Amino acid sequence: MKTEITSSIHYVGVNDRHKTLFEGLWPLPYGVSYNSYIILDDKIALVDTVEVDFFPQFLDNIRRVIGDRQIDYIIVNHVEPDHSGSIALIKKYYPEAVIVGNKKTFDMLGGYYGVGKAGDILEVKQGDTLSLGHHELAFTMVPMVHWPETMVTLDTTAATLFSGDAFGCFGALSGAVIDEDMCCDVFWDEMRRYYSNIVGKYGVQVQQALKKLAGVKLDYICSTHGPVWHKHIERVVSMYDSMSRYEAEPGLVVCYGSMYGNTERAAEMIAAAASEAGVKNIVMHDVSRENHSFIIRDIFRYKAIALGAPTYNNEIYPPMASLLSELAGRNLKDRFLSVFGSFTWAGQTVKKILAYNEEKLKLELVGNTVEIKQSLSEETRQQCEQLGKEIAKKLAE
Ligand code: FEO
C-alpha cells in the first residue's frame, strides 16, 4: 500500500474486514478502515490511533514510516474507541509522546484508558495552534461531530484537514489510500449510510462545523474512515452539507412489515401507482428482513416515505416501531410521510404511527391513510392506488 499522502504526511491506518456490525449495529459489507496519520517534521505527530485489535499492524505501519524516531505528539481528534483504542499501548512504546486534546478529550481518555494526566498532555482550545517545525497545526472544536469532545486539526502548511469522523464513510481501503488512485463507486452509498446512521442526528452541529471551515483552502481531507479525499473534496463537502441540511432528492421509500403478505401487497400497489404517476426513484424495504441502516440511508436520500405495517399485540408491528424510533433519534425532518397498515380484529398500527408522527417526527402527511382489514378489498385497492398517485403529485410540486 502506498502510504505517502504528501512527502511529510503518511497514512498509517488499518483495514477491518473482520467485524460484521459496526458499533454492534451496522453491517459492514465492504469492511471499514480506521485511519491514522503521521506528520513527519522536526517533531513527529501521530493523528488519532486505531481500534486496539489491530495494534500490531498499526505499530508496524508507524515504524515503517518513522523508523527509530520517537513520536512527539499524539493528536486525539476523537475519543471513540475505534480511534483511541490503541492509545494506551502507543504510550507504552512511545512514553515521551505528549497527548494533544481538549478538556473533554482528557476526561474521556482518563475514563477509558487511564492516560492523559497532567504533565503528559497539551490541552488546546478553539483556534489554538501548534508548530511541528515546518508544519503549523490549528485546532477547531466541532462538538457532536460525532461526540462532545470532537475536534479537527488543520495542517495549514500542507492545506490538509484531519477531520475525524467528518467526511468519513464505511468501506475498507483496497490497496490505495487517496481517492484519485482508486475507483470510489462503492464509497458514495456507504458515505450516505455512514453519515445517516452514525452522525445523522447532529445535522445542526455538522452545519456549524462546516461554517467554521468555510473558505479554508484544502488539498487533502484525511478522515478517520474511508479514502483520503483529494480529487473529490468538492463532492464530499457538498454531500455532507446537503445531508446535514436534511435535503432530499425526489423519490419514494416504501417501508413495510408484513406477516402474511397483505401489507406487502398494499406496499406493492402504492409503489406501482406512484411509478405509473411518474416517480422514477422508488425503493422498497421489508423492515423485518433488511438491516435498518440501509433503510435509514435511503430515507436520508429521498423526499417521500410510505410506512406500512400490521397491528401486532395491539401495537405497531415491532420492526416498524423500531424504525420509527430510529428516525426520531436522527432528528429526521423535511420529508413527506404516508401511512398504511393492516389488522385482523383491532386496527392500531395506523393510528399509532400517526400519533407517533404528531408527537415526535412531525413530518408532513401526504394522502389519506389506508387501513386494510384482513386482506385487500376493492375499496382498499383503490385507496392504495390513490395514495401512490397523491405521493407522486406531491413530489412533482
Ligand atoms: Fe469513527 Fe465516532 O468514531
Side-chain angles (χ1 to χ4, degrees):
M1 184 180 264
K2 178 180 156 239
T3 62
E4 191 176 295
I5 297 164
T6 70
S7 58
S8 52
I9 299 177
H10 290 251
Y11 180 86
V12 290
V14 299
N15 286 310
D16 185 349
R17 302 178 200 277
H18 306 170
K19 186 176 289 193
T20 51
L21 294 175
F22 190 78
E23 296 182 342
L25 292 165
W26 319 114
L28 294 169
Y30 309 104
V32 67
S33 68
Y34 310 121
N35 299 346
S36 170
Y37 305 91
I38 287 279
I39 308 171
L40 282 172
D41 203 334
D42 296 343
K43 302 284 187 185
I44 289 182
L46 173 69
V47 184
D48 291 310
T49 74
V50 304
E51 190 163 299
V52 68
D53 293 3
F54 297 84
F55 185 74
Q57 176 71 55
F58 180 48
L59 184 63
D60 187 54
N61 292 351
I62 291 170
R63 283 175 165 163
R64 282 169 185 271
V65 174
I66 71 172
D68 293 334
R69 290 186 65 186
Q70 294 298 302
I71 293 172
D72 297 286
Y73 297 107
I74 305 167
I75 296 167
V76 180
N77 282 328
H78 182 24
V79 181
E80 192 163 9
D82 50 338
H83 310 299
S84 69
S86 292
I87 200 161
L89 285 172
I90 280 289
K91 278 291 288 178
K92 289 206 187 307
Y93 283 82
Y94 299 98
E96 302 301 318
V98 171
I99 303 174
V100 182
N102 58 69
K103 196 170 189 312
K104 288 180 179 148
T105 313
F106 297 119
D107 173 56
M108 293 182 184
L109 286 180
Y112 272 118
Y113 313 108
V115 300
K117 306 241 169 25
D120 204 23
I121 63 170
L122 174 63
E123 186 176 311
V124 294
K125 301 184 300 299
Q126 168 66 33
D128 281 357
T129 58
L130 173 66
S131 177
L132 301 179
H134 180 56
H135 288 254
E136 301 291 327
L137 307 182
F139 303 100
T140 299
M141 304 300 130
V142 291
M144 303 318 297
V145 187
H146 148 232
W147 278 11
E149 90 304 356
T150 311
M151 62 185 203
V152 296
T153 301
L154 177 66
D155 182 333
T156 49
T157 311
T160 295
L161 180 69
F162 299 96
S163 65
D165 282 345
F167 312 114
C169 58
F170 293 133
L173 299 173
S174 300
V177 169
I178 304 174
D179 59 1
E180 66 181 354
D181 297 329
M182 66 177 80
C183 170
C184 291
D185 289 357
V186 75
F187 292 111
W188 304 124
D189 260 3
E190 285 296 78
M191 175 173 278
R192 195 179 301 278
R193 193 165 67 92
Y194 176 83
Y195 176 85
S196 57
N197 284 272
I198 309 296
V199 195
K201 179 177 182 182
Y202 305 113
V204 170
Q205 291 86 348
V206 173
Q207 279 293 311
Q208 287 167 349
L210 288 170
K211 282 193 180 74
K212 284 184 186 174
L213 297 167
V216 174
K217 178 187 177 298
L218 293 177
D219 285 340
Y220 295 94
I221 294 178
C222 298
S223 166
T224 45
H225 300 289
V228 168
W229 301 113
H230 177 57
K231 179 179 165 188
H232 296 299
I233 285 179
E234 207 173 307
R235 179 170 179 173
V236 299
V237 172
S238 165
M239 275 183 76
Y240 261 68
D241 182 36
S242 169
M243 292 187 293
S244 58
R245 293 174 193 273
Y246 300 90
E247 290 176 351
E249 300 169 29
L252 168 64
V253 188
V254 183
C255 309
Y256 65 91
S258 193
M259 287 188 283
Y260 297 105
N262 294 296
T263 315
E264 184 174 39
R265 264 173 232 134
E268 298 278 11
M269 293 193 73
I270 292 165
S275 171
E276 277 177 40
V279 181
K280 296 272 189 263
N281 297 314
I282 301 177
V283 189
M284 297 191 66
H285 287 293
D286 179 336
V287 294
S288 301
R289 288 169 58 89
E290 185 72 275
N291 179 278
H292 288 193
S293 70
F294 297 94
I295 305 177
I296 292 165
R297 174 198 66 191
D298 290 338
I299 286 176
F300 263 70
R301 178 165 189 175
Y302 293 120
K303 184 74 177 175
I305 317 163
L307 301 180
T311 295
Y312 194 88
N313 282 343
N314 248 7
E315 295 291 340
I316 302 170
Y317 189 57
M320 180 59 75
S322 166
L323 178 64
L324 287 168
S325 159
E326 287 155 355
L327 296 179
R330 281 161 183 76
N331 292 337
L332 182 73
K333 51 178 74 96
D334 298 333
R335 296 293 184 277
F336 302 141
L337 174 65
S338 304
V339 181
F340 60 104
S342 68
F343 67 98
T344 299
W345 69 92
Q348 292 292 329
T349 272
V350 166
K351 77 177 180 193
K352 289 195 172 178
I353 292 176
L354 291 173
Y356 193 90
N357 182 55
E358 197 172 325
E359 187 191 344
K360 297 266 178 75
L361 296 172
K362 303 184 192 304
L363 304 180
E364 181 181 344
L365 289 169
V366 172
N368 292 324
T369 57
V370 181
E371 201 165 19
I372 301 152
K373 185 175 183 191
Q374 289 135 15
S375 68
L376 279 163
S377 63
E378 193 46 43
E379 185 187 3
T380 48
R381 279 175 204 277
Q382 283 175 12
Q383 289 173 353
C384 287
E385 283 176 9
Q386 186 57 32
L387 183 54
K389 285 181 195 163
E390 292 286 340
I391 294 166
K393 188 171 157 212
K394 189 73 183 174
L395 284 172
E397 278 175 4

